[in-house]
Amino acid sequence: MESRVLSYGATAVAGIPRLAKPAARLNTVAVSFPARLNTDGGNLVCGRQLRPSLLNLDYSSAVPLVTSPAKRDVLKPCAATTSDSTGDAAAPVGFLAKYPFLVTGFFFFMWYFLNVIFNILNKKIYNYFPYPYFVSVIHLAVGVVYCLGSWSVGLPKRAPMDSNLLKLLIPVAVCHALGHVTSNVSFAAVAVSFTHTIKALEPFFNAAASQFILGQSIPITLWLSLAPVVLGVSMASLTELSFNWLGFISAMISNISFTYRSIYSKKAMTDMDSTNLYAYISIIALFVCIPPAIILEGPQLLKHGFSDAIAKVGLTKFVTDLFWVGMFYHLYNQLATNTLERVAPLTHAVGNVLKRVFVIGFSIIIFGNKISTQTAIGTSIAIAGVAIYSLIKAKIEEEKRNLKAA
């Protein structure tokens, strides 16, 4: 290796450089050439690697300066370089770490599976127990118990909550509760496939809120992609055999509620992990949903609601159905969030559209819902429009992130 020697103003004799002893009181000495920093954290001086803290390079000056020994920091061990670690054995890589796409695929599969099972079991409960406000409370209550149990064993560790964060989360939780309840009112009133077709309009409300409430500029391409969504939902609604205004209006209110939930979520940005955040939102939403359930359905439930359901299916099946529908609701929502953390927004957008197709298709098959040709065509057009919108929006968001990173 070629040696590098710091020259302190010495003269050359017979072509051999001679080093002059620096003055005793010299506090600062100029280096004849800038010291070159090693990317691993040290400098090469006289063929040896030293940390910058040893040299105390002052980059505020045009020429790096070496400060006096009295002002030097304590010498710390150098970080291991690549050449030092070549002989170490590489850490073993697990099977799942080696094939991460298998884990992502499992998340997608469980997200779809739990969502389909939830929608089917939810509708079966409404066929013999038509009380959507009470069932909505059960959905959230089972999820809250699950979260409390997870916190008690430290999986995950509970994140701290303060009054400021609570104030930010309350509007999000209220919108979440309203959207959840009205979705269930629609599920109880009309076919599952029709509710999901109406809920395909949610991107339209999101775009409208972003444009007219948040003041964000929405590209014309996004607005054009929403045209087939509106057209398809209109076609499906006109000839839907299970149509009624309660189911239609409730699904529309759900769209608006979830749109405002998105708006308040942006204002309540926090560093808390998604699992803890969803747990706190579920707890607050549960307290929001209990009063209307007691007021609107409480007297009917005590009079004949519970007794009729138990007479039809039995106490054991009634209780287990309520428990599992609540568990499936919580788990599919949690898995949807976990899947988003593992994939790009574009992939998640496509997956969300395919999930809606799966739910509509399986609900028609399981319940044997008869749909007209126009309803089928309208539903297909609406889903295709949502897919186009999701793709365009995801690409726009990706371009924004690339610009910020550049």
Side-chain angles (χ1 to χ4, degrees):
M1 179 185 294
E2 179 185 357
S3 298
R4 299 175 182 267
V5 182
L6 293 180
S7 174
Y8 294 96
T11 60
V13 178
I16 302 176
R18 180 170 58 87
L19 297 179
K21 184 177 181 181
R25 295 184 176 273
L26 186 60
N27 292 330
T28 310
V29 183
V31 182
S32 60
F33 56 90
R36 186 176 62 184
L37 284 178
N38 190 323
T39 57
D40 291 324
N43 288 2
L44 292 176
V45 180
C46 298
R48 302 181 62 185
Q49 182 167 331
L50 301 177
R51 289 180 61 85
S53 58
L54 178 62
L55 292 178
N56 285 324
L57 296 182
D58 181 8
Y59 291 99
S60 61
S61 174
V63 179
L65 300 178
V66 181
T67 58
S68 62
K71 295 183 179 181
R72 291 177 180 174
D73 294 335
V74 178
L75 179 62
K76 299 179 181 180
C78 288
T81 60
T82 305
S83 60
D84 296 333
S85 60
T86 53
D88 298 338
V93 179
F95 179 80
L96 296 180
K98 190 175 181 181
Y99 302 101
F101 67 91
L102 293 178
V103 181
T104 303
F106 175 76
F107 272 85
F108 269 102
F109 171 77
M110 292 303 298
W111 176 24
Y112 285 18
F113 174 76
L114 293 174
N115 193 275
V116 170
I117 296 300
F118 162 75
N119 280 276
I120 292 174
L121 181 57
N122 204 44
K123 185 61 178 179
K124 286 185 175 181
I125 291 174
Y126 288 136
N127 287 340
Y128 68 82
F129 187 70
Y131 297 94
Y133 287 89
F134 177 79
V135 174
S136 298
V137 170
I138 295 299
H139 291 165
L140 294 170
V142 173
V144 168
V145 172
Y146 176 87
C147 293
L148 294 178
S150 300
W151 280 341
S152 65
V153 297
L155 295 173
K157 184 178 180 182
R158 187 181 70 85
M161 170 66 67
D162 55 37
S163 58
N164 293 328
L165 182 57
L166 182 63
K167 292 178 182 178
L168 293 175
L169 291 183
I170 286 178
V172 179
V174 170
C175 293
H176 178 73
L178 181 59
H180 178 56
V181 169
T182 50
S183 293
N184 279 282
V185 172
S186 181
F187 284 138
V190 297
V192 174
S193 57
F194 182 55
T195 299
H196 279 279
T197 301
I198 300 173
K199 287 174 71 66
L201 280 173
E202 189 174 329
F204 174 81
F205 288 98
N206 283 334
S210 299
Q211 179 84 50
F212 302 110
I213 297 179
L214 297 180
Q216 300 175 355
S217 178
I218 303 299
I220 188 64
T221 52
L222 274 182
W223 285 114
L224 292 176
S225 67
L226 289 171
V229 180
V230 177
L231 175 63
V233 172
S234 300
M235 290 179 59
S237 301
L238 290 175
T239 56
E240 171 60 37
L241 300 178
S242 67
F243 178 88
N244 65 57
W245 284 108
L246 176 62
F248 178 81
I249 293 175
S250 297
M252 294 294 284
I253 294 176
S254 173
N255 286 334
I256 297 173
S257 300
F258 286 136
T259 296
Y260 274 94
R261 182 186 66 177
S262 299
I263 294 175
Y264 286 120
S265 296
K266 293 178 181 178
K267 295 181 179 180
M269 294 299 291
T270 175
D271 293 332
M272 186 182 298
D273 63 281
S274 60
T275 302
N276 275 289
L277 190 63
Y278 184 69
Y280 281 120
I281 291 175
S282 297
I283 294 172
I284 300 171
L286 175 60
F287 285 102
V288 174
C289 290
I290 289 176
I294 295 175
I295 295 171
L296 298 176
E297 296 179 344
Q300 299 177 20
L301 288 171
L302 295 176
K303 186 177 181 180
H304 56 77
F306 292 127
S307 58
D308 288 350
I310 294 173
K312 291 178 181 178
V313 299
L315 178 61
T316 302
K317 179 173 174 53
F318 178 53
V319 173
T320 55
D321 281 353
L322 290 177
F323 169 78
W324 283 114
V325 77
M327 184 63 68
F328 288 140
Y329 170 77
H330 179 81
L331 291 179
Y332 101 74
N333 276 286
Q334 189 60 63
L335 276 170
T337 304
N338 295 338
T339 304
L340 177 60
E341 292 177 344
R342 295 188 62 87
V343 299
L346 179 61
T347 305
H348 193 271
V350 175
N352 199 34
V353 174
L354 293 178
K355 178 214 68 175
R356 199 174 295 278
V357 173
F358 270 84
V359 172
I360 292 175
F362 274 100
S363 65
I364 292 174
I365 295 172
I366 297 297
F367 296 107
N369 297 332
K370 295 180 179 180
I371 59 174
S372 65
T373 303
Q374 182 174 328
T375 299
I377 295 174
T379 301
S380 301
I381 293 174
I383 295 299
V386 173
I388 295 172
Y389 169 85
S390 301
L391 291 171
I392 294 175
K393 184 178 180 181
K395 294 183 80 172
I396 292 175
E397 293 296 328
E398 187 175 355
E399 290 175 357
K400 288 181 179 179
R401 285 194 301 273
N402 291 337
L403 289 176
K404 290 181 180 180

